[in-house]
Every structure is written in structure tokens, then in C-alpha cells.
Amino acid sequence: MGRHTLNRPRHKHLAPLTHVLWTPNEDGLPCLPRPGTPGVYDPYILAATWHALHQHMPAHAPLTLTSPTDTQPILNTLYGDPPPDGQTPIHHLLRTLYPHWQRRLRDERKAAEGRELWPYDQNGNPTTYEELASGPSHGAGDDPDHPAHLAARSRLGTPSIDVIGLYQHPDRITWDPAGHEPADLRRYHPYADQDQEAHRLQRRHFLLNTVHVPHYWIGDLPNPTTWTKPEPAPALTDRPTLLLTPDGSPLDGRLAHLTYTPQTGLSRRRRPQPPVTS
């Protein structure tokens, strides 16, 4: 996190700078691993990132990205859109790699279904911290080199989106359902160079009020940044927001099947199925 001025107060006068190194092939395209090769980033994402950065690169000058104004649209293009149309070598490469990328996503979703950790079991009992371990097959309790209690579960899980949960009261917006912690969202914009202590406190509230909403819980709803949110709220710029009543019900009627409480988290009420007619 050294690139953020909040964490380097002695270097505020310096613009954060990142050097991106890449190895070209004979045709000038980036040298990529073969599809299926283990790695954090799929070859398609690497190639698409290379293409997106070059699309935004000014001639003979460094590329300046202002987060999130510039970075979020690029990320949306990489992970949400199909390959761009075109007949250049990079376009052919992207079209070749894209099916492998989609296959990897399907495989990861299938693997996630078998490893997902739910907050409650089928009997309504809360999940304990012991369930975070992958199990005794990865080590024995008396084995100092492979302790079972340190074998973390996979990070794979159901695709979800992070939203900021806030509570709407008659006269104010708060971080808590009881209304004791007012949320001042007009000051200390997350990307502005202002009061550091207030900035840190607000970011702490953001983290504590972040709710993970599985994609399939919201269906085909539009971009969550368009959900009901308080105005004015510059501190929430480009941050998906879930505005709740004190009892944890979303103000957006399209999300009426969801409920949130700090004690039990987010829950979903299954929508009634239409009656079957003969």
C-alpha cells in the first residue's frame, strides 16, 4: 500500500509511480504463459490488460490513472466485457484466449460450490472459526510442520459484490441501526488529501459496514452504484451502497428480499414461485 499518500505522509509532494515491465514476442505482443498454466492471472486477463493500457497510453508520455475515475472503467472492461472487435494481432490473440478464460471461470465457480463456507448450517447453528480450516486431511494437530488448525480454506467462493451498509433515520444517516453513530459523508472524500485521522476513521467505518452480496442474490439488477444512496455523499463516490431501515430492510424495493443485521449478517428470503397451472 506504499503507493497511497495516506501511508507515506513525508512524500505527499510525489505522485505515486508504478513501472510496468513486459516481455514482447516476435510480433510485438506480450509474452504470455500457455492457457491452463497455473497462475494468479489468466493469460487472457494479462493480454487484455496490456491492450487496455496501450489504448489509454498517450504518445511518448507516461500514462496517468486517477483512481477510481480511470481504473474502474478499465477493470469493468477487462472482467465484464467480451473481447473488443478488430482485426489486428492483439484482437486475434484476445479472441483465441477468451474461451480458455471463460472455461477457467466455470471451473472456479464449480470448485467454489464445494468449498463455500456458509455463516449457518442447515440446522441454524452458526459457523465457528474451526470451520475455516480445510480439515485434518491437510495435517495433524500434533504435526508442527503441517498443523491442521492452520490449513486455511480456499479463497474461492461465490462471486459477490461488496456494498457499504448504511441506516436511514428520519433526520440522519448512521453507521449503526440504533442511530448513535452519524455518518458524515460530505467530508473526507476517500481519495482526497485531507485530515488523515478523519480519513482513517471513515475508512474503518467503511470496512466494518462492508456487506458481501452474492451476485445471484441480486439477479439482473443494474449496477449497484445506482441503488438508493444518501445525497449529497461525495465520500461514497463509485461505492455501491445499501441503504437500510433501522430494522435492516433495504429502502430499494427491488432488494426487499434481503435483510441485514450486524449480529447475523445478510440473509435472503426466497422469492415465492408462481403457481403451476395445468
Side-chain angles (χ1 to χ4, degrees):
M1 302 298 289
R3 63 187 183 278
H4 297 296
T5 55
L6 179 65
N7 296 318
R8 1 173 258 161
R10 298 182 180 179
H11 303 282
K12 287 186 177 181
H13 62 288
L14 299 176
L17 180 64
T18 300
H19 296 276
V20 180
L21 304 178
W22 59 279
T23 303
N25 278 325
E26 295 80 1
D27 54 8
L29 297 180
C31 182
L32 302 170
R34 293 180 177 274
T37 303
V40 176
Y41 297 105
D42 190 83
Y44 171 77
I45 293 299
L46 295 175
T49 302
W50 181 92
H51 176 63
L53 292 178
H54 278 74
Q55 288 292 100
H56 291 76
M57 186 79 70
H60 309 294
L63 172 62
T64 300
L65 297 176
T66 301
S67 180
T69 305
D70 299 323
T71 56
Q72 194 59 50
I74 294 178
L75 292 174
N76 292 342
T77 299
L78 297 181
Y79 290 93
D81 296 340
D85 294 328
Q87 299 302 321
T88 66
I90 184 60
H91 292 100
H92 289 294
L93 177 62
L94 291 174
R95 284 195 294 271
T96 300
L97 295 175
Y98 187 73
H100 299 279
W101 162 238
Q102 294 300 301
R103 188 178 304 116
R104 174 174 175 174
L105 290 180
R106 289 193 296 269
D107 292 342
E108 288 186 351
R109 283 194 291 267
K110 184 177 180 180
E113 292 176 358
R115 303 177 182 178
E116 188 159 22
L117 186 65
W118 297 94
Y120 295 90
D121 62 22
Q122 295 180 348
N123 298 321
N125 300 315
T127 299
T128 62
Y129 72 91
E130 289 90 349
E131 299 299 327
L132 295 174
S134 296
S137 61
H138 291 270
D142 56 354
D143 184 353
D145 295 325
H146 303 88
H149 64 283
L150 296 181
R153 292 174 64 96
S154 169
R155 65 179 176 87
L156 293 177
T158 299
S160 62
I161 185 168
D162 291 345
V163 301
I164 304 296
L166 294 167
Y167 296 90
Q168 175 72 68
H169 294 266
D171 58 343
R172 61 192 184 282
I173 303 294
T174 67
W175 299 109
D176 64 314
H180 300 314
E181 300 180 61
D184 182 2
L185 304 172
R186 296 171 299 177
R187 302 177 57 203
Y188 316 125
H189 189 286
Y191 303 98
D193 185 17
Q194 299 184 25
D195 189 316
Q196 290 189 16
E197 290 305 315
H199 186 152
R200 291 181 185 275
L201 178 61
Q202 189 178 70
R203 292 187 67 84
R204 180 176 183 274
H205 281 303
F206 282 154
L207 292 174
L208 292 176
N209 285 61
T210 296
V211 183
H212 304 285
V213 184
H215 277 286
Y216 70 91
W217 282 22
I218 59 178
D220 56 356
L221 289 183
N223 189 328
T225 57
T226 65
W227 295 353
T228 304
K229 67 170 52 179
E231 296 291 347
L236 295 174
T237 301
D238 293 323
R239 289 178 179 271
T241 306
L242 183 62
L243 199 56
L244 305 163
T245 63
D247 65 356
S249 301
L251 290 183
D252 192 323
R254 299 169 299 176
L255 304 171
H257 58 289
L258 301 180
T259 304
Y260 176 79
T261 66
Q263 292 76 27
T264 61
L266 188 71
S267 59
R268 177 186 61 153
R269 182 178 67 256
R270 293 187 179 275
R271 297 175 179 177
Q273 298 296 323
V276 178
T277 58
S278 58

